[in-house]
Amino acid sequence: GEYSRATDRQMLADTAHEIAKLFREHLNNDAEAFRWLKAGYNAVREHRGVVEDLIDYYLKRDDWENAVPLLAWLVSYLEAKRMYTELAQKSFELGQLFERSGDSPRAMKYYRMANRYDSRNAPNLLALGRLYHDDGEYDKALQTLQGLLVMQHDIEDDAIRVMMFLYLARACRAAGDKPKALRHVKRLLQIDPSHEEAQALLAKLK
């Protein structure tokens, strides 16, 4: 049909993308949608819509090995196009994938990129502060997490606030500031009184 009539590669990719969308959204057939996405990708590897849909397909299946190179390409594409809002979000997502696969240096690279373009992304600030802490860079951890602390009243997710106070307390303790560490632990326990790590840390700080 339409796909076999498409003459240039861009048109092939556009048509394959539309057919994939039809299979996914109207016929609920992910396998056929994926087959058409692959056809579109083989026609034009720089087709943003095809790449984004392939990333979604792989991430839904926890197939990070195939998702990572595509997401890395998308981040480079967004940076080249100066689409900074989307770049910040996609850099954060790529950082998460690298962290899950145990590659902390690459995770750090993309969390820092995300922070450069959106310094108010709370989950990204937390991830960056956490990695600085785990690398023993306590000053950078504190600086990053204090940026998060400033905007804590805008954070609706208690889980982020709990982790923020936990890592602030740990970093303050590591830097030798026990009074501040104690304050952060107490703030955490106000949010989650049964938090075991915080209770253990409180016992060490007393």
Side-chain angles (χ1 to χ4, degrees), residues 104-105 108-109 112 127-145 167-168 170-172 174-175:
S104 291
M108 176 79 81
K109 173 187 170 181
R112 286 170 67 180
L128 190 54
R130 198 165 34 71
L131 282 194
Y132 278 137
H133 171 277
D134 294 348
D135 278 354
E137 297 194 58
Y138 302 120
D139 286 347
K140 284 184 179 177
L142 283 170
Q143 191 180 350
T144 305
L145 293 166
Y167 274 89
L168 275 166
R170 285 175 173 173
C172 285

Side-chain angles (χ1 to χ4, degrees), residues 5 20-21 74 81 91 141 143 181 198 202-203:
R5 288 198 303 274
K21 200 180 287 186
L74 182 59
K81 297 283 184 186
S91 299
Q143 191 180 350
L202 182 64

